[in-house]
Amino acid sequence: MSQRLRIALTKGRLQDKSVELFEKMGLDCTPIRHPGRRLIHSVPNYPLDAVLAKAPDVITYVEHGVCDLGIVGKDTILEKGGAFYEVLDLGFGRCRFALAVKEGTDFYATYKTRRVASKYPAVTRAFFERKGMDVDIIKIEGSVELAPILGLADGIVDIVETGATLKENGLTPIEDVAQVSARLIVNTASMKLHKQEILDFIQQCQANLSGT
Ligand code: PRP
């Protein structure tokens, strides 16, 4: 009998796209589509249980091996890092990290240390380290666009999808930091212990990716 796999899905937008992909693969996702307050759901016609979690927790569960697989954004992977295999770019959840400033301001005009606000301090630090530039990073938990508007920061590093949030708040992207999309990740021990089941699952995901 084949081993039942457990996958951690990032709640929200990536969850919906993951379910669309699974349904293309022929998985009955009724329990995941109607979760109620339950957080773990068995797929009735495939040896897979799905756990719904916040993005950083998806990585934590996969790293610790309590989930064999996970679907999480590259943004979270870049910020949190961790020891796991990143096996597939799923192509959905596409957006980018960008450095953005108030329209009409020149981020590079001064020699003073710039302040940059972000929900992603590690990504921001790595970006400016690559440039050899010393900046003060201020961690913000959400609606980071407020920081330059309120005068707390000279710029932000944030996720840009359509660009509407920046535009509506008088900000403009000046540089791309990294491209982002959803990734399938695998626990390193699971990959050895349940190799065939996991390779089959990856292959089925891959075969159903286009147009997701
Ligand atoms: C993200 C991001 C931007 C917005 C970008 O925020 O932080 O604010 O989406 O999308 P857009 O380019 O399509 O306008 P999210 O909705 O995740 O909430 P948050 O601001 O609380 O992080």
Side-chain angles (χ1 to χ4, degrees), residues 13 75 95-96 119-120 140-145 156-169:
R13 277 176 277 190
D75 50 336
C95 52
R96 64 195 163 108
K119 257 171 86 171
Y120 300 87
I140 297 288
E141 297 298 335
S143 302
V144 70
E145 295 83 2
I156 61 172
V157 167
D158 199 21
I159 295 288
V160 180
E161 196 178 345
T162 62
T165 310
L166 288 180
K167 205 170 164 46
E168 285 186 31
N169 290 288

Side-chain angles (χ1 to χ4, degrees), residues 138-208:
I138 302 172
K139 169 88 195 284
I140 297 288
E141 297 298 335
S143 302
V144 70
E145 295 83 2
L146 278 171
I149 298 173
L150 297 177
L152 179 66
D154 302 299
I156 61 172
V157 167
D158 199 21
I159 295 288
V160 180
E161 196 178 345
T162 62
T165 310
L166 288 180
K167 205 170 164 46
E168 285 186 31
N169 290 288
L171 305 178
T172 188
I174 57 166
E175 253 170 88
D176 282 358
V177 173
Q179 298 300 314
V180 169
S181 57
R183 306 298 159 102
L184 181 64
I185 62 172
V186 182
N187 172 265
T188 51
S190 298
M191 191 60 131
K192 292 190 185 75
L193 292 169
H194 314 303
K195 190 172 177 188
Q196 201 49 57
E197 292 89 338
I198 289 176
L199 290 180
D200 286 349
F201 183 79
I202 295 170
Q203 193 274 324
Q204 289 191 52
C205 285
Q206 202 158 20
N208 288 278

Side-chain angles (χ1 to χ4, degrees), residues 105-115 133-135 154:
T105 61
D106 183 353
F107 184 77
Y108 294 106
T110 170
Y111 286 108
K112 280 194 299 183
T113 304
R114 256 62 37 108
R115 282 177 143 192
M133 199 173 150
D134 193 27
V135 296
D154 302 299

Side-chain angles (χ1 to χ4, degrees), residues 55-146:
D57 299 337
V58 168
I59 291 182
T60 302
Y61 294 138
V62 171
E63 259 198 303
H64 285 81
V66 294
C67 291
D68 305 293
L69 301 136
I71 292 181
V72 65
K74 183 71 178 176
D75 50 336
T76 308
I77 294 175
L78 288 172
E79 181 62 24
K80 190 174 157 74
F84 48 80
Y85 297 126
E86 185 185 319
V87 293
L88 201 55
D89 181 348
L90 296 168
F92 53 76
R94 244 180 231 294
C95 52
R96 64 195 163 108
F97 275 121
L99 170 64
V101 297
K102 267 166 85 170
E103 273 165 25
T105 61
D106 183 353
F107 184 77
Y108 294 106
T110 170
Y111 286 108
K112 280 194 299 183
T113 304
R114 256 62 37 108
R115 282 177 143 192
V116 180
S118 186
K119 257 171 86 171
Y120 300 87
V123 169
T124 305
R125 192 170 304 110
F127 173 66
F128 285 105
E129 269 173 17
R130 286 198 298 275
K131 288 172 152 315
M133 199 173 150
D134 193 27
V135 296
D136 287 337
I137 297 167
I138 302 172
K139 169 88 195 284
I140 297 288
E141 297 298 335
S143 302
V144 70
E145 295 83 2
L146 278 171

